[in-house]
Amino acid sequence: MEKWIITREGYEPEEYTDNGNRFLIGNGLIGVRGTLEEYTADKMVAINLAGIYDKAPGQTWREPINAPNAFFAKLENQSSILSHKQSLNIAFGLHSRETDYENATLRIERFCSMAEPNILCQKISITPKGKPVTLICGIDSEIWDINGTHLTDFKTSVTDTLRVSALTSEQRIPITVTERCNRTADEVREIRSSLFRVFNVKEKLVLERIIAINSELTPGSYDEKLSAHKKIWERLWENSEVKIKGDDKAALSLRYSLYHLHSIAPRHADSLSIPARGLSGQTYKGAIFWDTEVFLMPFFTLTEPAVARKFIKYRINTLGGAREKAAEYGFDGAFFAWESQDGGVDGCTDFNVVDVFTNRPVRTYFRDKQIHISGDIVYALGKYIDWTGDKNILENGGDELIRACADFYRSRAYSRPGSDKLEFTDVVGPDEYHERVYNNAFTNRIAAYALEKAGYDCKVREPIFKDGIVEQFDGYFNLEDVSLAEVRSRLKHPREYWGTQSGVAFSTQIIKQADVIALMHLFQDDFTDDIVKNNWEYYEPRTEHGSSLSACMYALTACRFGKPDLAYPLFMKSARSDLDGGGKSWAGNVYIGGTHPAAAGGAYMIATQGFAGLSLQDGQPVLKPSLPEQIESIKFPLIFRGKHMHVNVTHDKAEITQN
Ligand code: IFM
């Protein structure tokens, strides 16, 4: 039987970071970390709001806002715990916990409504074992903020509903949380700006709480709202479920990845994208990176093209910011933000990492030199049109975006005297450990793609091969060729950042993440299978996989040259990234933990493009399977140019049928 429920047994408060990610629920507008109801700010409780950015006092950048925690609930004077279980039903994003205390049993369910994105629902059931107990639930305004307090000017009101409202400190954006409960409390307590209902419970009590964030409450009971919510999830799975047979662990891990992608898709908005850490908090300033275009777009393009279109529209609507950024550096066209926030403002700072030894900010060049971002966006737009046939987006800003990106590259390029080839000097490729390099093969190729899409007649310098291996950038092969273990052993601090000029990787061939291999996946027609294999064997041992974006590129390319056994552990790593937890959470002294949507999107890519070998040839979907032994079959639906299709791949057959 298919497994849809993730469970952890045993009360484990020290696991609040990983469980917060593991048990996250969301609906694209709101993400709620999977922390327990009694937890407070110190355990990273967050009701994270998509698309609202503000500066905390004294900060130079904006980050997303966490709303007051309306899911707060607690048994006062908790007695000892006899048993405890936390679960997540990934079929429809229902979080539940069941705790058996010595004096009572507490069961709580919650979900973020897919049917009404501003609405959250909670059902609390408490059964005393003998003497009465006291239950407190309400809106807790002491919230987790990484870089300073965002909410100010709190106001509370108590009628038959509880309401806490506040303003963000910089732009004074109103944030309101309103709650209604099906039972009248014995008392309402106001503690600072928090409001709590207090119930003296003598016998089993069931509370149903409906919560509205930044909107008015809507009518309907908990069960009615749950049933509307489930209906939407059913439809989402119909169009997206990837069924893996023969390997239950792989099947569940992939299903879990898709659950996360569905939970953070901005269906409510006309144009919005997904932050690198989804809706799991303020990490990475809630910003949009190339992760969306390269790692998330394939899933949405094939299963929910309307959402993929929103990502593209987000970039079209933030062209203004990208043009300003290009102008800031003295270039034409559009240089998209490395860490894009509303309006396309670049949240990335020049000093984006904090040194662990001195606690001083370190100069990084992600913002000003990671120019592949504009090409990544053009690439995603091109693929989106290839799969959906939605050329209409070109007239609606797509053409302008492509031209603006190409203009940027044309003005940013350099050509040696006497050469007709464009080169890109002083850049940072996907491997962020080597900054300010020349002719990063990935960057050159993606820029060439943008220039070609715009119809510009110019040539970009191609990758340089040495003994069949693409040189990641000019001079890469001259760097110290030393093992990953050796470089790791040179660290003087576990959180030390490997990049920047003084980092352990900088003078070596050890790279952070797939770079040449990412190039080989994106531009498959440029490279033969043998070349891909040789490059894989060269680069993989030299890759730290220090980014969750890395494993899937290696897995995809391994499938391509017929080695799914090499791909399989990388697939599991991507698919289980948030299930297993424990990933890298620090870049120097900067916290980078949270969920990993790009790894989830990568897992989908591996299953569909890698194991099933789905690609477009001559404008038609084709399959070239590369199934690992453990997996008997993979089946999934897809939408190609408006037509609903179905893929079925086993070790003996591969077919695409139209529904
Ligand atoms: O976009 C990535 C980048 O490639 C590596 N560092 C983390 C970013 C956000 O996921």
Side-chain angles (χ1 to χ4, degrees):
M1 209 182 82
E2 282 176 2
K3 197 174 163 205
W4 289 87
I5 299 179
I6 311 291
T7 302
R8 302 265 304 193
E9 309 244 358
Y11 197 71
E12 42 187 24
E14 67 295 342
E15 284 278 307
Y16 64 88
T17 314
D18 279 345
N19 280 343
N21 300 326
R22 188 175 285 133
F23 293 107
L24 183 126
I25 53 172
N27 60 15
L29 177 66
I30 299 169
V32 180
R33 288 182 62 77
T35 46
L36 297 179
E37 286 74 11
E38 63 272 31
Y39 289 177
T40 50
D42 63 322
K43 292 214 165 37
M44 296 162 66
V45 173
I47 297 198
N48 193 242
L49 305 181
I52 303 180
Y53 297 91
D54 208 69
K55 277 183 199 162
Q59 289 300 351
T60 50
W61 65 80
R62 289 185 179 152
E63 58 194 9
I65 302 301
N66 290 328
N69 175 23
F71 277 146
F72 181 88
K74 180 180 174 159
L75 194 60
E76 199 167 50
N77 303 323
Q78 282 179 5
S79 61
S80 39
I81 292 172
L82 304 175
S83 69
H84 171 83
K85 190 165 92 176
Q86 182 174 8
S87 324
L88 175 66
N89 186 331
I90 58 172
F92 49 93
L94 185 77
H95 178 279
S96 51
R97 66 88 60 85
E98 194 171 330
T99 312
D100 194 22
Y101 296 97
E102 252 177 16
N103 58 346
T105 305
L106 177 66
R107 199 185 139 69
I108 308 181
E109 289 180 356
R110 65 188 192 217
F111 66 93
C112 298
S113 171
M114 275 286 183
E116 299 172 278
N118 297 81
I119 300 291
L120 309 180
C121 304
Q122 185 187 50
K123 188 187 233 175
I124 305 176
S125 147
I126 173 118
T127 315
K129 298 177 182 172
K131 286 194 190 144
V133 293
T134 306
L135 180 93
I136 304 174
C137 60
I139 308 173
D140 180 14
S141 295
E142 272 186 40
I143 51 174
W144 178 45
D145 273 316
I146 300 187
N147 297 300
T149 314
H150 279 276
L151 299 185
T152 171
D153 295 80
F154 278 93
K155 287 202 179 89
T156 55
S157 97
V158 180
T159 54
D160 50 339
T161 64
L162 304 184
R163 181 185 285 241
V164 172
S165 58
L167 297 174
T168 63
S169 58
E170 183 212 357
Q171 300 178 89
R172 308 194 73 70
I173 302 167
I175 305 292
T176 61
V177 180
T178 316
E179 179 252 27
R180 94 166 166 256
C181 184
N182 64 334
R183 299 288 293 262
T184 310
D186 295 300
E187 179 197 338
V188 172
R189 272 185 212 160
E190 177 159 2
I191 305 175
R192 288 180 290 278
S193 311
S194 304
L195 291 175
F196 301 107
R197 298 179 193 271
V198 182
F199 294 88
N200 298 316
V201 189
K202 297 190 187 76
E203 57 193 26
K204 182 173 177 184
L205 173 74
V206 178
L207 301 178
E208 295 184 4
R209 303 178 65 226
I210 310 294
I211 295 138
I213 310 270
N214 289 349
S215 79
E216 290 308 318
L217 283 163
T218 54
S221 68
Y222 178 91
D223 287 342
E224 282 162 352
K225 293 205 181 293
L226 182 59
S227 120
H229 167 76
K230 276 186 177 172
K231 275 202 187 106
I232 299 204
W233 271 101
E234 272 162 27
R235 208 187 59 223
L236 294 176
W237 286 117
E238 242 166 61
N239 287 337
S240 67
E241 191 187 346
V242 180
K243 293 193 172 168
I244 291 184
K245 208 170 148 206
D247 185 337
D248 292 347
K249 190 170 178 187
L252 174 67
S253 309
L254 182 58
R255 212 175 287 133
Y256 178 77
S257 296
L258 306 194
Y259 159 78
H260 268 281
L261 296 175
H262 281 312
S263 302
I264 53 177
R267 298 186 182 85
H268 63 281
D270 176 45
S271 111
L272 197 62
S273 197
I274 294 184
R277 290 289 181 260
L279 297 176
S280 64
Q282 292 163 327
T283 311
Y284 279 134
K285 309 179 192 96
I288 321 301
F289 290 65
W290 70 312
D291 304 31
T292 302
E293 280 71 20
V294 176
F295 300 84
L296 306 185
M297 281 287 283
F299 172 70
F300 290 103
T301 302
L302 263 60
T303 62
E304 219 180 336
V307 171
R309 195 174 209 272
K310 292 174 198 285
F311 301 153
I312 303 281
K313 282 198 78 183
Y314 168 79
R315 295 300 191 174
I316 291 172
N317 292 347
T318 55
L319 251 178
R323 286 190 189 282
E324 275 175 33
K325 181 173 166 187
E328 180 190 332
Y329 291 108
F331 301 112
D332 300 339
F335 179 10
F336 276 94
W338 181 243
E339 299 185 9
S340 184
Q341 301 182 325
D342 50 352
V345 166
D346 202 334
C348 190
T349 66
D350 284 346
F351 296 84
N352 222 34
V353 165
V354 176
D355 180 56
V356 283
F357 302 108
T358 59
N359 210 27
R360 291 199 180 106
V362 186
R363 179 67 162 107
T364 49
Y365 293 87
F366 313 144
R367 183 188 201 274
D368 36 352
K369 311 286 180 194
Q370 210 153 164
I371 63 168
H372 65 83
I373 178 68
S374 291
D376 304 332
I377 293 166
V378 175
Y379 181 91
L381 172 56
K383 293 284 160 191
Y384 166 79
I385 294 173
D386 290 347
W387 280 95
T388 61
D390 175 13
K391 291 203 176 125
N392 172 271
I393 197 144
L394 291 173
E395 288 156 37
N396 287 292
D399 272 334
E400 188 191 343
L401 180 144
I402 295 170
R403 241 188 343 270
C405 292
D407 287 344
F408 165 65
Y409 285 122
R410 205 161 53 173
S411 69
R412 175 63 165 72
Y414 151 90
S415 39
R416 287 168 203 264
S419 165
D420 65 342
K421 301 264 171 84
L422 302 182
E423 299 187 25
F424 292 95
T425 58
D426 201 6
V427 303
V428 179
D431 161 29
E432 294 171 331
Y433 287 166
H434 295 90
E435 297 183 303
R436 313 200 66 174
V437 300
Y438 284 29
N439 290 309
N440 166 250
F442 180 98
T443 304
N444 280 22
R445 184 63 185 89
I446 208 103
Y449 179 91
L451 289 159
E452 188 190 303
K453 279 278 166 195
Y456 290 180
D457 182 21
C458 43
K459 294 193 182 66
V460 179
R461 206 197 78 184
E462 298 86 5
I464 301 284
F465 283 86
K466 288 197 179 137
D467 299 328
I469 309 300
V470 170
E471 188 168 42
Q472 188 176 294
F473 51 82
D474 292 352
Y476 170 82
F477 289 133
N478 301 334
L479 297 175
E480 187 188 9
D481 194 11
V482 64
S483 74
L484 183 58
E486 166 59 25
V487 168
R488 200 185 293 280
S489 76
R490 294 176 186 172
L491 291 170
K492 293 197 167 76
H493 190 290
R495 287 185 189 170
E496 191 180 336
Y497 183 63
W498 294 37
T500 73
Q501 294 190 17
S502 58
V504 287
F506 186 75
S507 60
T508 76
Q509 290 190 30
I510 295 302
I511 62 172
K512 177 179 183 181
Q513 65 197 83
D515 193 311
V516 166
I517 292 302
L519 159 74
M520 293 187 168
H521 171 66
L522 296 192
F523 295 97
Q524 297 180 17
D525 294 344
D526 291 6
F527 306 95
T528 64
D529 292 359
D530 280 349
I531 290 179
V532 176
K533 179 171 184 286
N534 293 341
N535 279 268
W536 198 100
E537 285 167 356
Y538 188 85
Y539 280 107
E540 204 286 326
R542 290 168 177 79
T543 306
E544 186 220 354
H545 295 298
S547 157
S548 60
L549 279 53
S550 190
C552 78
M553 290 295 169
Y554 280 94
L556 285 157
T557 41
C559 290
R560 156 107 191 262
F561 60 79
K563 282 282 182 197
D565 51 320
L566 293 177
Y568 182 81
L570 297 165
F571 165 72
M572 291 302 265
K573 185 176 170 170
S574 300
R576 298 187 62 83
S577 163
D578 295 321
L579 207 45
D580 290 341
K584 222 184 208 185
S585 295
W586 297 91
N589 272 347
V590 175
Y591 182 66
I592 55 166
T595 55
H596 298 84
Y604 178 80
M605 287 159 76
I606 302 165
T608 55
Q609 300 175 25
F611 297 158
L614 176 70
S615 70
L616 281 186
Q617 260 170 39
D618 302 323
Q620 289 304 312
V622 292
L623 301 168
K624 190 178 166 237
S626 191
L627 270 189
E629 245 173 50
Q630 302 85 326
I631 295 180
E632 275 171 37
S633 67
I634 294 196
K635 292 183 187 177
F636 57 91
L638 67 93
I639 303 171
F640 171 66
R641 305 203 167 181
K643 292 183 228 124
H644 287 254
M645 299 187 162
H646 214 277
V647 170
N648 185 359
V649 169
T650 67
H651 286 271
D652 319 308
K653 78 166 188 236
E655 59 183 17
I656 306 183
T657 47
Q658 201 170 319
N659 290 4

